[in-house]
Amino acid sequence: MRHPRPLVFAAVTSLALASLVGCATTAATDSSAKSVIAFGGEPQNPLIPTDTQETYGGRVVDLLFNGLVTYDAKGNLVNEVAKSISTKDSQHYVVKLNSGWTYSDGSPVKAQDFVAAWNYGALSTNAQLNNYFFAPIAGYDALNAIDAAGNPAPTAKTLSGLKVVSDTEFTIDLANPQSDFPLSLGYTAFDPLPPVAFKDMKAFGEAPIGDGPYKLAKGGWKHNVQVSLIPNPRYSGAQKAKNGGVTFKEYTTPEAAYTDLLAGNLDLLDGFPSNALKTFKQDLPGHYLNVPVANTATLTVPSYLPQFEGAAGLLRRQAISMAIDRQAIIDKIYFGTKSIATEFTSPSLNGYESHIPGNEALKYNPSKAKQLWEQANSIRPWDSSQPLTIAYNGDGAGNKEFIEAITNQIKNTLGIDAEPKPYATFKEFRDVINSHKLDGLARSAWLGDYPSLQDFLGPQYQTGAGANDGGYSNPDFDSEMAKAASAPTSQEGNVIYNKAQAILMKDLPVLPLWYADQQAGWSSNVSHVKLSWSGNILYYSVTT
């Protein structure tokens, strides 16, 4: 047995600000252990940590790579590659690595690998989806400068705030103090990359070499079929695989996955189809979990659509929000396994505040919704020749049912034509969103990357952020977010983050719907199934 080293923030008083002692086996995986078959879908992009921001690719990357730290099931920081991370002022950090940490091919993980990977992710011309996460580091603006025509025009190629001291040490200088910066370091974007990756990043993403608890099996990624992982025997961290591997079998409908689970052809399923939410406890006695997690569902309203611009657009966003009977959908489709959202983050996070000014816009009020819609039409008439569409991916559990319910509620309350707009796969759906080609609203959701209010607000709503699906931009919101990030303590920062939420509530760039309970089920072939603080299955802990 082994005790993970505590993550150390060396303050002026040398007081450790955060630490965790846990227990994890480092024994070699049992050679007789079998691989588990888990629910999955086609990753949107090659398996590069800085360019993976969606669920299906994320669950694979999380098993192939590990960064400086990781999170336990409750969201506490646990050291991985880092031996220590120290700071005296929350702006200048010294990172020391554990010696002997290697990639799955046996090559050493060095400080330079973190610095090179972060520089790659931060450089705008590399167009990485997780680019935004490097914004706090000094020199980010130079790597993301734009010319007069609005095109990327970097004035540097590397972040000035990163310096390699030795193979096992590097420093991080932030542009401003940020008390919760270390919390972000367990997110995928901050994983290291071996030198071979930079020879051909796209090719590397098809068959990546990581430092995590698993490695890609030979020919393991069969596109649109499955992704097969096997244990990494060189891994020595806290997440040692207790099974013979994980194969993510790709499904196009959650109903098919649930049927396979009941038949024993699928071992692990996270998220049940809506028609199973009433019966899963009877269908899977002793083989299910249903727990609250940091996961929030919303509807994105693209700011680039003329019908949602200006005063009329704001009135329409409010009207649509008030036309949605969230509780009815929760009761009839999700059988009470969700709760109405009152803001933009998650009740499971430190700093959560349910009473954000203006959140009456999230309450079902059909008469007020009609009044607001009429006010909008008096400013700029709605084009009745085109229906209001709500896009969604058909391979996601419950998406079809709840989007159909919402469009029916909008039609009945506002008297306009509203239609679901399905896409067959999550990849196809995300490609349309990322190219800013939505012609109406879109289903959206956020699963926490790290346990902080900032993670729910910054990546989705700050100007130019990688997950800002609707293209929202408000300088006042950006300013409050900057103040919150620079607050002396995370508690003070949370107060300011909630002030920023009041701006979002006024603008409604998305319409918050509900907080999710995460369901997971497993077959009789496996045991020891657990969920993380964010609702992900802890695949490494599953035994066969």
Side-chain angles (χ1 to χ4, degrees), residues 277-301:
L277 291 178
K278 187 177 181 179
T279 62
F280 72 87
K281 294 180 181 180
Q282 291 75 42
D283 295 341
L284 298 164
H287 286 256
Y288 70 85
L289 291 171
N290 182 55
V291 296
V293 295
N295 189 336
T296 301
T298 60
L299 290 179
T300 292
V301 186

Side-chain angles (χ1 to χ4, degrees), residues 8-17 87-88:
V8 178
F9 304 126
V12 176
T13 60
S14 298
L15 176 68
L17 299 181
T87 183
K88 294 181 179 180

Side-chain angles (χ1 to χ4, degrees), residues 301 306-323 369 372-383 388 410 414 416 441 508 511:
V301 186
Q307 56 265 46
F308 293 109
E309 292 179 345
L314 175 57
L315 291 168
R316 289 196 173 105
R317 293 194 293 276
Q318 294 171 339
I320 293 171
S321 181
M322 292 184 181
L372 292 171
W373 193 262
E374 291 171 359
Q375 289 179 14
N377 281 337
S378 69
I379 299 172
R380 185 173 65 248
W382 177 259
D383 183 0
L388 172 66
I410 291 171
L414 301 181
I416 64 171
L441 278 59
L508 289 179
L511 310 180

Side-chain angles (χ1 to χ4, degrees), residues 490-520:
S490 58
Q491 291 80 5
E492 293 173 88
N494 287 337
V495 172
I496 306 173
Y497 283 130
N498 285 324
K499 290 182 179 178
Q501 284 211 71
I503 297 173
L504 292 182
M505 199 65 72
K506 180 180 178 181
D507 292 346
L508 289 179
V510 304
L511 310 180
L513 297 175
W514 41 73
Y515 308 120
D517 285 357
Q518 180 64 49
Q519 296 82 38

